[in-house]
Amino acid sequence: MLLGVNIDHIATLRNARGGVEPSPVLAAEICEQNGATSITTHLREDRRHIKDEDVRTLIKTIKTKLNLEMAVTEEMQKIALEIMPASVCLVPEKRQEVTTEGGLDVAGQLEKITKFVKPLKEAGIEVSLFIDPTEDQVTASAKTGAQFIELHTGCYSNSFGTDKEEIEFKKLYEAAKLAQSLGLKVNAGHGLNYENVSRMHEINGLYELNIGHSIVSKAVFTGLAKAVEEMKDLIK
Ligand code: PXP
């Protein structure tokens, strides 16, 4: 299984001061040096974390693959076709949400999504659809021409360790199986952390996991001791 790291939160922190650090470019480099097989950034409509400038720089500096998460809008399609990331992951987007809350309703917008996928695919960009693990969304996704789906693991992650875990896990398991039988490659992500990630091994053939929040959160604490120590050295 491959690991894609979502670096949006690095940009969130940078934007808190409006300056240049921490740098998403440096973050991407460190992730790659330590085994990330792709770097994901979500260019949101409100640009609350990653900015256009970041994507334009990252496409030049990333040595693995840039996976651009984006909404199904004309503006984003134009940017993707101009920047040419290795892949795009189409997500639903609501301005008010803190993070991507649900999967894309592919079944309810089959014609629109199919039309949207075509030029991206023709340009050589791999297309993935971020969907809930349900039969109708998987079946619809297979009709769009997209090569990948990314299963939304949020419900599984939230239910981990509770009596709902098994039900939520089974949905992912069955959805992945169905998708693969329809010729789709299957990624997964959202809410995965250092505890709940291990069960992803039980799902056959998962291609890549996309993880952001738990990795950046962990990095704060694995790095804090050294950061304080270095500053202490400078001022003693
Ligand atoms: N995959 C998609 C499509 C997402 O929208 C996100 C969140 O930005 C992730 C994966 C990563 O989720 P998390 O930050 O919870 O690991």
Side-chain angles (χ1 to χ4, degrees), residues 6 8 69 89 91 99-100 130 150 189-191 210-213:
N6 181 316
D8 292 345
E69 243 181 67
C89 180
V91 298
T99 182
T100 314
F130 185 53
E150 179 171 327
H190 210 286
N210 285 314
I211 306 182
H213 188 87

Side-chain angles (χ1 to χ4, degrees), residues 149-153 186-190 192 200 206 208-210:
I149 54 166
E150 179 171 327
L151 292 175
H152 194 318
T153 50
V186 183
N187 297 334
H190 210 286
L192 294 175
M200 294 300 106
L206 271 189
E208 187 171 62
L209 301 180
N210 285 314

Side-chain angles (χ1 to χ4, degrees), residues 45-205:
E45 190 194 1
D46 60 9
R47 311 297 199 266
R48 72 171 75 146
H49 37 58
I50 290 291
K51 314 262 186 215
D52 299 62
E53 222 5 68
D54 294 323
V55 182
R56 285 177 208 285
T57 309
L58 285 164
I59 191 71
K60 294 188 210 130
T61 59
I62 284 174
K63 296 193 175 56
T64 54
K65 289 179 358 177
L66 173 65
N67 175 42
L68 183 66
E69 243 181 67
M70 60 184 218
V72 183
T73 64
E74 249 177 63
E75 183 203 12
M76 288 300 151
Q77 191 183 58
K78 199 160 156 259
I79 292 173
L81 289 170
E82 190 199 318
I83 288 171
M84 290 296 291
S87 58
V88 294
C89 180
L90 306 184
V91 298
E93 201 175 295
K94 285 190 228 122
R95 266 186 180 252
Q96 299 80 2
E97 69 192 356
V98 175
T99 182
T100 314
E101 282 162 5
L104 187 66
D105 181 16
V106 181
Q109 318 174 75
L110 188 54
E111 205 183 321
K112 178 181 170 187
I113 308 272
T114 305
K115 271 197 194 139
F116 195 86
V117 167
K118 197 164 179 267
L120 295 165
K121 232 179 110 179
E122 282 173 0
I125 300 171
E126 281 181 334
V127 182
S128 178
L129 307 175
F130 185 53
I131 57 166
D132 291 327
T134 63
E135 190 181 332
D136 61 336
Q137 296 299 345
V138 171
T139 312
S141 297
K143 294 178 185 155
T144 62
Q147 303 97 321
F148 281 84
I149 54 166
E150 179 171 327
L151 292 175
H152 194 318
T153 50
C155 290
Y156 158 74
S157 299
N158 289 337
S159 71
F160 188 72
T162 73
D163 55 4
K164 300 254 166 57
E165 176 186 330
E166 224 35 62
I167 298 169
E168 296 301 334
F169 178 77
K170 195 152 183 280
K171 287 183 194 166
L172 292 171
Y173 186 92
E174 295 298 338
K177 203 162 103 179
L178 174 63
Q180 286 159 352
S181 77
L182 296 172
L184 289 161
K185 287 187 222 159
V186 183
N187 297 334
H190 210 286
L192 294 175
N193 62 28
Y194 292 81
E195 289 175 346
N196 63 31
V197 75
S198 60
R199 290 205 75 181
M200 294 300 106
H201 283 296
E202 294 173 40
I203 302 175
N204 298 327

